[in-house]
Amino acid sequence: MDSKGFQLYKEQSVNTMTPGELLLLLYDELVKHLTRAEIALSKEDYPVLEASVEKSLQIIRYLDATLDTKYEISAQLTKLYDYFCYELNRVNFGHNKTELERIKKMVMELRDSFRTADKNSAGSEKI
């Protein structure tokens, strides 16, 4: 397959996504990198662990930067994102598997909450 055509397809796919779909895509990527970090930590592959944690931190910072501060929940999410960043930095330096698992579980729960909210809002628009 032509790589230029595939790149165009990917760009068009992202450009036609709803904000909810984009948010879920970011959370899916975050979970993917946290999983990669878990695997690297279990294999003691510290360069991959560091790269995966750094990518996770970039996604979290982006999620935080794009919050709409006119909503009250944004302040709570900012605190949660700060906590995730703090703990992931600790995981990166201390190689704490338990903490990484806890952060990943919390991220997955948050992603699932956003998925449910997106489905509920999509359903209410059809009424």
Side-chain angles (χ1 to χ4, degrees):
M1 175 180 243
D2 181 16
S3 65
K4 197 174 191 180
F6 181 70
Q7 183 64 30
L8 182 62
Y9 168 76
K10 282 180 16 182
E11 287 175 21
Q12 288 175 341
S13 294
V14 169
N15 290 335
T16 59
M17 288 181 162
T18 66
E21 290 171 332
L22 288 170
L23 179 65
L24 292 172
L25 181 65
L26 281 169
Y27 270 96
D28 287 343
E29 280 297 305
L30 179 54
V31 169
K32 178 177 85 175
H33 288 286
L34 292 172
T35 301
R36 202 174 275 166
E38 277 183 322
I39 293 167
L41 185 56
S42 69
K43 292 181 176 181
E44 298 182 6
D45 187 348
Y46 300 122
V48 172
L49 171 67
E50 290 175 17
S52 299
V53 168
E54 182 55 38
K55 186 63 178 176
S56 298
L57 290 169
Q58 289 173 359
I59 293 169
I60 292 167
R61 288 184 200 117
Y62 179 80
L63 288 166
D64 187 46
T66 58
L67 286 172
D68 189 343
T69 56
K70 72 179 179 183
Y71 297 105
E72 192 175 317
I73 194 165
S74 295
Q76 296 168 344
L77 284 170
T78 290
K79 289 178 185 177
L80 188 59
Y81 292 152
D82 287 345
Y83 171 76
F84 289 162
C85 289
Y86 174 78
E87 292 300 330
L88 283 173
N89 279 310
R90 288 184 59 209
V91 165
N92 204 19
F93 294 109
H95 306 149
N96 186 335
K97 182 179 179 182
T98 303
E99 190 58 35
L100 179 57
E101 291 169 348
R102 192 161 67 93
I103 295 298
K104 180 181 168 190
K105 181 179 180 215
M106 292 172 71
V107 166
M108 291 171 64
E109 289 172 357
L110 192 55
R111 177 195 60 187
D112 293 344
S113 295
F114 280 120
R115 180 172 284 127
T116 300
D118 187 52
K119 285 180 184 178
N120 289 343
S121 69
S124 66
E125 290 174 6
K126 294 178 184 176
I127 295 174

